[in-house]
Amino acid sequence: MALLFRSEHHAKVYQKYRPEYPPSVHSAILKYLDHQRTTTPSSASTRWNTAFDLGCGTGISTIPLCGHFERVVGIDVSEAQIEEARRSGAGHEGLTYRVGLAHDLGFQADGTVDLVTIGLALHYVDTEKFYPECRRILRSGGVLAAYGHGIPRVNNTEAHSVVMHFYDVLLEKYWDPGRRHISDHYHELFKDFSLTFPTSERNDSLVLEKEYSLEDFIGYLQTWSGYQNYIAQNPDAEDPLKDVASRLREIFLRSCDAKADGDATTSSRMEKSDIAGSHKDHDDEAISETRFSTSCPIFILLGRKE
């Protein structure tokens, strides 16, 4: 993990293009934390005290906690990610960020934290050090929530095949070994998790759905650590995302043409092309207006300290 997510460029791309989890994720976590209530706290008078968000990245997963806790601490090993988080999180009362490892929690007193979250990062940490520290800082009844999402499935079969070839074949040797746990949705990791927290459960009921333009989706693919490792290790090679973008563009243009065939006559489509000025301009306009949806499963591991 030492070289992951370290560059300033990666931090900025991550902040701009990484999808946010739906509110239902934090709702499920807070409901588990507050198992004696039927609703989660919604006002300052009913907020909990302290939450830690470990492996917080640029703070995308940290800020949603601010409305529910008096104090929120985001921690990440990457200085670049923390600097970006501080910029995006400015103005949130009680929110602080620190650079450090997930198990580097010696600054926090025993039994003083209500909630520890770690989003899409449990597979990177040294759990032999991490779990004991979580148990130490959590209060009785406090919760550790480790969550993540699988690989987005594009709602176009041909386009999805292009993305999976990029993920599984081209980037195969550039992923961190812990990445395999994403593919199995943390089922293997849940074995040790549940031993550490005997009062524990999984939640596999939620889905992350997002609509993309082609430009934004390519931006999202840039956030993948496997891609960033590829670029770092092959600085003189052709950017593989150029080919991915070109192939996806062709696929979605064919989809646009097929839709046009159903919606308009050839002459009317030619008229639109003439107005645009050229066939290329017409294609560029069609692609810029194209939106496609993706979905990926969300998995949440929830453990309570008794």
Side-chain angles (χ1 to χ4, degrees), residues 155-217:
N155 70 339
N156 177 298
T157 301
E158 189 178 2
H160 184 67
S161 295
V162 171
V163 174
M164 292 310 297
H165 182 271
F166 178 62
Y167 177 87
D168 281 330
V169 179
L170 198 147
L171 299 182
E172 179 184 14
K173 67 179 182 179
Y174 298 97
W175 291 111
D176 182 89
R179 186 71 186 183
R180 73 183 190 279
H181 294 298
I182 299 297
S183 299
D184 88 337
H185 299 176
Y186 280 8
H187 281 283
E188 183 180 342
L189 290 177
F190 187 57
K191 297 174 183 177
D192 286 340
F193 183 95
S194 58
L195 288 174
T196 306
F197 294 89
T199 303
S200 59
E201 64 182 53
R202 290 183 59 98
N203 184 333
D204 296 287
S205 66
L206 305 178
V207 177
L208 195 167
E209 297 178 320
K210 184 171 176 61
E211 186 177 84
Y212 285 98
S213 66
L214 180 57
E215 179 182 357
D216 285 348
F217 187 69

Side-chain angles (χ1 to χ4, degrees), residues 21 68 200 222:
Y21 287 92
H68 303 284
S200 59
Q222 289 182 57

Side-chain angles (χ1 to χ4, degrees), residues 141-287:
V143 167
L144 169 62
Y147 62 95
H149 62 78
I151 303 304
R153 181 168 191 83
V154 182
N155 70 339
N156 177 298
T157 301
E158 189 178 2
H160 184 67
S161 295
V162 171
V163 174
M164 292 310 297
H165 182 271
F166 178 62
Y167 177 87
D168 281 330
V169 179
L170 198 147
L171 299 182
E172 179 184 14
K173 67 179 182 179
Y174 298 97
W175 291 111
D176 182 89
R179 186 71 186 183
R180 73 183 190 279
H181 294 298
I182 299 297
S183 299
D184 88 337
H185 299 176
Y186 280 8
H187 281 283
E188 183 180 342
L189 290 177
F190 187 57
K191 297 174 183 177
D192 286 340
F193 183 95
S194 58
L195 288 174
T196 306
F197 294 89
T199 303
S200 59
E201 64 182 53
R202 290 183 59 98
N203 184 333
D204 296 287
S205 66
L206 305 178
V207 177
L208 195 167
E209 297 178 320
K210 184 171 176 61
E211 186 177 84
Y212 285 98
S213 66
L214 180 57
E215 179 182 357
D216 285 348
F217 187 69
I218 295 301
Y220 162 68
L221 297 183
Q222 289 182 57
T223 71
W224 285 3
S225 59
Y227 169 74
Q228 292 293 328
N229 288 336
Y230 179 98
I231 294 299
Q233 295 175 39
N234 301 278
D236 298 324
E238 181 79 8
D239 185 344
L241 269 182
K242 290 182 178 180
D243 179 61
V244 173
S246 176
R247 294 172 69 186
L248 292 178
R249 175 186 169 92
E250 291 177 6
I251 291 167
F252 288 118
L253 277 177
R254 289 201 303 272
S255 179
C256 289
D257 288 344
K259 184 177 186 301
D261 285 339
D263 293 346
T265 63
T266 300
S267 60
S268 66
R269 283 188 283 114
M270 288 299 294
E271 181 180 351
K272 290 180 181 178
S273 181
D274 290 340
I275 294 173
S278 70
H279 183 66
K280 181 180 182 303
D281 288 342
H282 181 257
D283 287 350
D284 289 344
E285 181 181 359
I287 284 295

Side-chain angles (χ1 to χ4, degrees), residues 2-265:
L3 298 178
L4 297 179
F5 309 109
R6 293 301 184 93
S7 75
E8 182 178 350
H9 171 71
H10 194 186
K12 290 184 180 299
V13 169
Y14 199 98
Q15 175 63 23
K16 182 176 181 179
Y17 292 114
R18 200 71 171 186
E20 296 181 7
Y21 287 92
S24 55
V25 170
H26 284 93
S27 293
I29 293 170
L30 295 175
K31 183 178 180 181
Y32 185 80
L33 172 62
D34 196 25
H35 63 288
Q36 293 180 334
R37 295 190 195 130
T38 57
T39 58
T40 56
S42 59
S43 66
S45 62
T46 56
R47 291 195 298 180
W48 288 286
N49 184 27
T50 301
F52 278 24
D53 185 33
L54 307 179
C56 68
T58 61
I60 293 173
S61 61
T62 316
I63 290 175
L65 297 170
C66 291
H68 303 284
F69 295 85
E70 298 289 343
R71 175 178 175 241
V72 176
V73 181
I75 301 176
D76 198 276
V77 71
S78 167
E79 292 186 14
Q81 296 266 352
I82 289 297
E83 284 304 309
E84 192 65 35
R86 285 171 176 153
R87 282 191 287 270
S88 63
H92 287 275
E93 186 178 354
L95 173 62
T96 59
Y97 289 103
R98 298 172 63 106
V99 176
L101 296 170
H103 62 265
D104 240 354
L105 306 175
F107 62 91
Q108 187 69 21
D110 295 0
T112 55
V113 175
D114 299 289
L115 174 67
V116 174
T117 60
I118 178 165
L120 208 60
L122 183 64
H123 55 290
Y124 291 133
V125 306
D126 183 344
T127 54
E128 290 185 2
K129 296 178 180 178
F130 173 66
Y131 286 152
E133 274 297 271
C134 282
R135 290 192 60 84
R136 181 186 67 79
I137 66 171
L138 283 171
R139 63 164 172 81
S140 178
V143 167
L144 169 62
Y147 62 95
H149 62 78
I151 303 304
R153 181 168 191 83
V154 182
N155 70 339
N156 177 298
T157 301
E158 189 178 2
H160 184 67
S161 295
V162 171
V163 174
M164 292 310 297
H165 182 271
F166 178 62
Y167 177 87
D168 281 330
V169 179
L170 198 147
L171 299 182
E172 179 184 14
K173 67 179 182 179
Y174 298 97
W175 291 111
D176 182 89
R179 186 71 186 183
R180 73 183 190 279
H181 294 298
I182 299 297
S183 299
D184 88 337
H185 299 176
Y186 280 8
H187 281 283
E188 183 180 342
L189 290 177
F190 187 57
K191 297 174 183 177
D192 286 340
F193 183 95
S194 58
L195 288 174
T196 306
F197 294 89
T199 303
S200 59
E201 64 182 53
R202 290 183 59 98
N203 184 333
D204 296 287
S205 66
L206 305 178
V207 177
L208 195 167
E209 297 178 320
K210 184 171 176 61
E211 186 177 84
Y212 285 98
S213 66
L214 180 57
E215 179 182 357
D216 285 348
F217 187 69
I218 295 301
Y220 162 68
L221 297 183
Q222 289 182 57
T223 71
W224 285 3
S225 59
Y227 169 74
Q228 292 293 328
N229 288 336
Y230 179 98
I231 294 299
Q233 295 175 39
N234 301 278
D236 298 324
E238 181 79 8
D239 185 344
L241 269 182
K242 290 182 178 180
D243 179 61
V244 173
S246 176
R247 294 172 69 186
L248 292 178
R249 175 186 169 92
E250 291 177 6
I251 291 167
F252 288 118
L253 277 177
R254 289 201 303 272
S255 179
C256 289
D257 288 344
K259 184 177 186 301
D261 285 339
D263 293 346
T265 63

